[in-house]
Amino acid sequence: MKFSLSWLKEYIPIEMTPSDLVEGLTMIGLEVDSISDRYAYLDSVLIGRIVEITPHPNAEKLKICLVDIGTETLTIVCGAPNATVGMITACALPGTVFPGGKVLEKGLICNQESFGMLCSEAELGIGSDSDGIVSLPSDVDVGQKLASALKLSDMVFEVDLTPNRPDCLGIIGIAREIAAMQGSSLKYPGIDAFCAGSSISEYTSVEIKNPDLCPRYSAGLLSGISVGPSPFWLQDRLLSIGLRPINNLVDVTNFVMMETGQPLHAFDFDTLSEKRIVVRAAEKGEIFTTLDNKERNLLPGMLLICDAEKPIALAGVMGGVNSEISQKTVNVLIESACFQPSSIRKTSKTLGLNTDASYRFERGVDPRGTVFALKRAALLIKEVAGGQIVAGVVDAHPIPVAEQVIAMSTKNTNRLLGTNLDQETMSIHLKSIDFSVKKINEDILEVTVPTFRVDVSRHEDIVEEVARLSGYNNIPTTFPLIPAAIKPLYKQITIKDRIKDLLIGFGFTEAINYSFIKRSAVDQLRLRPEDSRRCVVEILNPLSEDQAVMRTSLIPGLLDTMHRNISWQTKNLKLFEIGRVFLNTQRKNIQPHEIEYLSCLWTGKRVENSWHGSNLDCDFYDLKGVAEGLLKALRLEGIQFTALPSENCCYHKSGHAASIYAAGELVGTIGEVHHEVLSNYNLKQTAFIMELDLDLLITRIPGNKTYKPLPKYPPVSRDITIVVDHGIEVQSVIETLEKMDEKILENAELFDVYVGENIPEKKKSLSLRLTYRSTERTLEDDAVNKIHSKISRMLIKTFSATLP
Amino acid sequence: MENTIEQIREDALAELANASSVDEIKALSVKYVGRKGRITLFLRNISSLPKELRPSAGQEANLIKQLVEERIKEALQRIEGSDLNSTDYIDVSLPGRAAIPGILHPISQINQQISNIFKRLGFDIAEGPEIETDYYNFEALNFPKNHPARDMQDTFFVSDDIVLRTHTSPLQIRIMEKKHPPIRVIMPGKVYRCDSDLTHTPMFHQVEGLVVDKNIGFSDLKGVLTTLVHQIFDEEISLRFRPSFFPFTEPSAEVDILCVICRGKGCRVCSQTGWLEVLGSGMVHPAVFENVNYDTSQYSGFAFGMGVERIAMLKYGIDDLRKFFENDFRFLRQF
Ligand SMILES: [Zn+2]
């Protein structure tokens, strides 16, 4: 919402400086977005004196003027008949932007160079005279700026209004707030000259078929007007807030809308069939051509203003071509109505048609303001376009709007604000913005809310009015007193922080990627057709194709991050991300399934380049070590890695990937990225990835820690080396040992795997260190040897092993 | 007389005291107790002494030999211990074997900082769905259908009724549905808005806060938010509360802080106003309480929300919002 200081001063004297006004409005809840000099565009228009005039060699009507602008003398081509030697006038320099938007450029006019332009009042937007260039008294100093010579000064304010304050979508509304701030009173424009009577009903009528959508429709009539340009004062007002003048009729309706906040519409009365207005909802299949010459397909329920036969306006949004004001219009019907906000919003949204009118109607206009605005407009039209006002107004008002009456408790207000204001102070504040207040008792005030405050409907709304008028900054600063009892709602947040700390310690850096991915990401990952991660949640209105669906895996984001970093020459990356993935439930209007995942990616060198010996690339076991370390630190039990079968490897390299189990549950996967997936992401170096389902994992973390007594007796170690088939997993050897349930076998640990010389092909040798310990006594060699050889025999038998 | 055992002793001790290198001491060792050393020779020559002097001289010479040997050992220890001439050293300027910690994303760092402040104030932390129903994201928060308040947040839609949450506020409803007052909780999380330019990314992070109990007033909201701002920045940063509008709070307040860059003098970051808008807040709207069946005559509360990226940008002087989601290592490593 824009307004100029000079326009504002029509309704209220302003004693404050512009910067105090900005501060004051902002602190009362009308945030000032910007403040600008109304005449800033005249900065490059200077006072000049014509010192010489010669005829233009190529054009009879043009003259070549030499113009003294103080610092230099410019050659300017000019066509004004009133240009004479010695004249003091306005000289625009190249770069000047005129009110119509035209930019002045240095140029050739009929082959004659021109270094500026001598301007008329109309061209400069400072007056109505367009017949000749500005002529100023001879004592005006040459070279100064036109704006300072003419003392042209005005400030334009732009207020960023919150949707609850449509009452301030008219300048009078803003003036009302300032009046409350200053303690001064408001001067409304006079409408007493409007002729009372009821002659209008002889000419026209209004019928409202959907009173719920149109609680009030007021209409006025003028005859014998002449459509033409508006006088300068009216154009100037509109231009000051960035509105383009059109003609005197339309300009008045715009002016009154900006003044009162009530949108108006003017119909060419003679185009109306049977000269009457019918307000009704559109029927199925209706088509209507709006003022912007676009055919609109209407949906049933959209509110229309019609004459006896046809729609003539899309109510509250835009008029129609068929009843538009034209140069020929002589009789005009002015509409000043009140429409149901959500219906207007729906129509405007559906048709993608936002207008100054719909903006106001969908926020809510004052149902008691229609007649005032109508009379104000009629009087102005008469003033600027001549003609006669037909006496009286038609005021169809099927659902009169009652004022809200709210009982306000002083005590509760102070309790909610933490203040100690007295009843009298509250009452004064409310009255300052035209609320009526009646004291019921020491606590209760009966507050009647003016109908223009459509946002105030309950006690708390009144409390806010009291708070903002007494000043938020005058409310004390205290602390809530709440018992110290704790009942944690979500313990997983602490665990997530712990996981992050561990990974940071392992050297991993956290990434945060967008939750959206491109639709083809599921193909890039080579997901199988039946993979549930293909059921992405689609966004109906995505910003781009790259962000069209919600991610079902964190891997695409990490691979993208890897790609970006490599292009920035960072090739060694240890990354992790914790975030949600979204699985489509395939049921309309049901929220998708959200799962929180942890994903890690390791690519490049095992360590950053270093002088410490050979620097190898990272491998599967590097990342597996991280997984084991993390799961162990979280005290998860029964951690197992089992080979991911080839048919389950989509983005993993077959034979180089594993499922991760914890506490008997599949919690994730780990492995090398498939080469096709790498190439889908334009990656040339390989990467290792791990994914863990955190939601599941966290539920498996054991709660209490219990202490186990330390062993009293020393351990005895025995090594064994067996040669087995290449395909046998170490895990199965260890498990077999565990299953034997030998009481004194405390631990079995692999310390060497060997393939090569002295070992037959397709075989490998495994060296294990077995630790024996008794909880009851020191073990004797004999006893250990006996069990160790029993175990050895069993391993040889189970795995068809041989000794080396 | 120069070869009396007394003299040898004097000479040996004096020379050892002056010796300053291992080589010198080794030479002295040879000179006095070596195979042809003065003390060795003296002992060898004892047999040439008169018989009655032999035992005492022998005893004395042996004691002196022991003493000298001891002093040689001491001198060696003294010199080696002082490392003055040691050639045994490592280049300590060489980098150590890498133990490079990773880095927590700056957004997480700010999030943790905010969470820690509230944990100390006795707040709980909660999380909730990022894809919400229209009811939780709007309706229950008093954003009616077809109301212009919905324009305040550009929404990503999944269907008519399902949206990417535009704020963390739906969790207010989810928590109040589950729990009775007193409530004091913060709700950090990702939110989504259909907007992308220099100052907007379609995804960003918010921290929402909610306090509900008997006798909670606007002044309490001011207290908690003042503490928050002072803890995140410093105590010199003043706050300005001004009336605003959010459908789910009444009265509502926008909170400006003194510009942390120019300290109020006016700069590019604060558009010359000296103030920065960082928080939205207000007293919980009675319609919201009604939606979760709280007795509005008994309970009141306040809620607030802030953008984490905004805080991080101000704290770290980051000027491009999009940097947060590019995950450029050269960027992340700075935090
Ligand atoms: Zn600043």
Side-chain angles (χ1 to χ4, degrees), chain A residues 345-419:
Chain A
R345 181 177 157 87
K346 222 167 140 184
T347 304
S348 145
K349 280 259 150 184
T350 312
L351 298 177
L353 193 56
N354 294 308
T355 59
D356 282 334
S358 69
Y359 188 81
R360 285 166 174 76
F361 281 123
E362 68 184 38
R363 280 160 178 75
V365 303
D366 178 9
R368 294 205 177 162
T370 58
V371 174
F372 175 84
L374 179 63
K375 290 180 174 173
R376 167 76 167 147
L379 289 169
L380 280 175
I381 291 171
K382 190 181 166 202
E383 181 188 327
V384 304
Q388 288 302 318
I389 299 174
V390 176
V393 296
V394 179
D395 188 16
H397 200 183
I399 307 179
V401 173
E403 281 169 331
Q404 298 258 8
V405 179
I406 298 166
M408 187 192 84
S409 153
T410 310
K411 208 177 77 201
N412 285 343
T413 302
N414 278 324
R415 188 173 62 98
L416 197 63
L417 295 178
T419 49

Side-chain angles (χ1 to χ4, degrees), chain B residues 259 262 266-267 270:
Chain B
C259 177
C262 66
C267 69
C270 60

Side-chain angles (χ1 to χ4, degrees), chain A residues 345 416 458 464 472 475-476 478-479 483 489-490 496 504 510 512 515 540-541 565 589 591 594 611, chain B residues 95 102-103 108 124 127 130-131 151 155 157 159 178 184 192 218-220 222 250 252 290 327 329:
Chain A
R345 181 177 157 87
L416 197 63
R458 37 198 314 173
E464 180 172 71
Y472 276 16
I475 295 174
T478 59
F479 288 92
L489 286 165
Y490 296 84
K496 271 194 294 192
I504 300 289
E510 189 190 17
I512 299 181
S515 303
L540 295 181
N541 53 334
N565 274 289
N589 290 341
Q591 283 166 273
E594 296 183 18
W611 60 279
Chain B
I103 289 141
S108 293
D124 200 353
E127 291 182 339
E130 291 175 21
I131 301 188
D151 289 347
T155 311
F157 289 92
S159 73
K178 259 195 252 166
R184 69 210 132 148
Y192 304 89
F218 194 98
S219 56
D220 298 324
K222 286 183 76 172
E250 188 79 26
S252 302
E290 283 157 15
N327 302 309
F329 258 49

Side-chain angles (χ1 to χ4, degrees), chain B residues 89-128:
Chain B
Y89 71 94
I90 57 165
D91 179 356
V92 294
S93 74
L94 278 173
R97 286 194 186 84
I100 306 164
I103 289 141
L104 198 60
H105 196 285
I107 295 296
S108 293
Q109 292 190 28
I110 298 287
N111 250 330
Q112 282 192 353
Q113 197 191 346
I114 294 170
S115 300
N116 286 336
I117 293 166
F118 283 107
K119 278 189 216 163
R120 274 145 60 204
L121 291 172
F123 279 62
D124 200 353
I125 305 177
E127 291 182 339

